């Protein structure tokens, strides 16, 4: 029996829809510079070189594994929306946040003394995250112009730091965490977009700045308005959504966004990044 070759059009569709070499579908663990990164790869993706990546940064005392397994910061779990809309998600890990806590209680050096051991030890999380994205980008065919960031609390502050100091993210969403760098200008903010979401009743990281009554880190934070002014004056955009009566915690913020807009945090993020279909 003669076997006919597949038509070119069929081959093109297959190569476009399926992950292909270096992009195994499902959850993949990558060890990058001694830290485990969890990567969610949807079954259907654009061609290599045109793929988008969302980088998820956990809050203080959290970690990537807890988000991925939906044990905490559940609204940062982007797997389902990534599968529906065809983009990759990287859940990155910070480093141990306090000597007396377990190793899996992690944080980021977001600047301004925040937070814990990563700040005390001056961990270069900016370089780490840039390196992680470069590694994943090369391996999985990611378009460097289609990399986005989202984080909560300490992870939100780290997201804002990256938008201020690097060109890594085209846009970012910062939930319950301002830019905490002691700067009046952001050298790389021109053309970058920030959506900041913050509850007015946040007693951990107050929306108006200062030391929160429930703060674990005891850091005096900058205000969201401060952050907005810095990004605007640096040529970026900063959309600030303040949720009336909502506290620090991500579940309550997600609930308020769902009630007000009929969207989950994940759906709102995909729409803000221009990744929703």
């Amino acid at each position: 029996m003669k076997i006919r070759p597949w038509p070119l059009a069929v081959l093109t569709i297959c190569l476009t829809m399926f992950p292909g070499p270096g992009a195994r579908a499902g959850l993949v663990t990558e060890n990058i510079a001694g830290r485990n990164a969890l990567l969610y790869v949807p079954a259907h993706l654009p061609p290599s070189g045109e793929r988008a990546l969302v980088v998820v940064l956990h809050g203080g005392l959290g970690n990537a594994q807890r988000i991925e397994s939906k044990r905490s910061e559940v609204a940062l779990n982007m797997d389902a929306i990534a599968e529906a809309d065809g983009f990759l998600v990287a859940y990155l890990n910070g480093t141990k946040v306090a000597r007396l806590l377990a190793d899996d209680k992690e944080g980021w050096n977001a600047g301004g003394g925040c937070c814990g051991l990563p700040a005390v030890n001056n961990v270069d999380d900016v370089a780490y995250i840039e390196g992680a994205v470069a590694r994943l980008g090369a391996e999985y065919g990611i378009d460097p112009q289609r990399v986005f960031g989202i984080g909560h609390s300490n992870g939100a502050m780290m997201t804002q730091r990256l938008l201020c100091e690097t060109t890594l993210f085209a846009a970012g969403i910062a939930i319950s965490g301002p830019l905490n760098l002691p700067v009046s200008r952001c050298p790389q903010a021109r053309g970058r977009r920030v959506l900041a979401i913050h509850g007015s009743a946040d007693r951990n990281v107050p929306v108006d700045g200062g030391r929160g009554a429930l703060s674990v880190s005891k850091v005096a934070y900058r205000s969201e308005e401060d952050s907005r002014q810095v990004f605007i004056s640096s040529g970026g955009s900063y959309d600030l959504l303040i949720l009336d009566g909502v506290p620090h915690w991500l579940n309550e913020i997600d609930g308020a966004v769902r009630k007000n807009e009929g969207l989950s945090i994940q759906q709102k993020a995909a729409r803000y990044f221009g990744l929703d279909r």
Side-chain angles (χ1 to χ4, degrees):
M1 182 178 69
K2 184 177 181 181
I3 300 175
R4 296 180 180 178
W6 284 15
L8 180 59
V10 174
L11 288 173
T12 301
I13 290 170
C14 290
L15 289 172
T16 299
M17 292 179 63
F18 296 97
R24 295 151 289 174
L27 187 64
V28 180
T29 300
E30 299 274 0
N31 187 281
I32 303 174
R35 306 188 205 181
N36 280 343
L38 304 180
L39 185 73
Y40 186 80
V41 183
H44 305 293
L45 283 166
S48 181
E50 299 179 15
R51 297 166 180 168
L53 173 70
V54 174
V55 176
V56 176
L57 302 181
H58 60 78
L61 303 178
N63 60 57
Q65 291 79 5
R66 290 186 67 84
I67 295 173
E68 227 306 313
S69 61
K70 298 184 179 180
R71 286 178 289 160
S72 64
E73 298 182 298
V74 175
L76 291 183
N77 185 303
M78 301 284 290
D79 291 3
I81 198 78
E83 189 66 46
D85 291 336
F87 60 87
L88 297 101
V89 186
Y91 302 93
L92 302 186
N93 276 309
T95 55
K96 184 174 179 176
V97 77
R99 292 183 181 87
L100 298 181
L101 296 178
D103 289 351
D104 66 349
K105 302 298 187 293
E106 297 176 344
W108 305 97
N109 179 14
C114 185
C115 289
L117 288 178
V120 170
N121 296 330
N122 198 26
V123 175
D124 195 346
D125 281 320
V126 170
Y128 172 74
I129 296 170
E130 285 188 305
V133 170
R135 155 91 174 268
L136 295 174
E139 187 172 350
Y140 291 91
I142 294 161
D143 179 353
Q145 303 304 313
R146 303 187 72 211
V147 178
F148 308 93
I150 184 170
H152 173 243
S153 192
N154 180 213
M157 298 173 203
M158 192 68 222
T159 299
Q160 295 219 42
R161 179 173 191 173
L162 288 159
L163 285 156
C164 180
E165 295 184 342
T166 78
T167 59
L168 185 66
F169 297 151
I173 297 178
I175 306 168
S176 305
L179 175 70
N180 214 48
L181 297 170
V183 297
S184 59
R185 300 277 294 182
C186 282
Q188 302 296 341
R190 182 166 298 280
R192 310 286 154 195
R193 297 184 299 120
V194 183
L195 171 60
I197 305 173
H198 214 127
S200 69
D202 192 330
R203 298 180 66 201
N204 296 74
V205 182
V207 69
D208 293 325
R211 185 173 296 178
L214 300 180
S215 173
V216 175
S217 68
K218 307 304 180 185
V219 170
Y221 300 105
R222 296 186 73 162
S223 70
E224 287 286 6
E225 180 56 27
D226 238 5
S227 306
R228 192 183 74 83
Q229 291 293 340
V230 170
F231 272 94
I232 295 297
S233 67
S234 302
S237 69
Y238 199 95
D239 299 313
L240 177 56
L241 173 60
I242 298 178
L243 300 171
D244 188 43
V246 176
H248 182 75
W249 308 112
L250 190 57
N251 284 351
E252 282 84 350
I253 289 171
D254 184 49
V257 171
R258 287 174 184 266
K259 180 179 178 181
N260 296 342
E261 303 182 29
L263 296 172
S264 66
I265 289 290
Q266 296 98 325
Q267 291 169 319
K268 188 174 181 66
R271 182 171 296 182
Y272 185 75
F273 297 147
L275 300 177
D276 59 325
R277 290 177 175 172

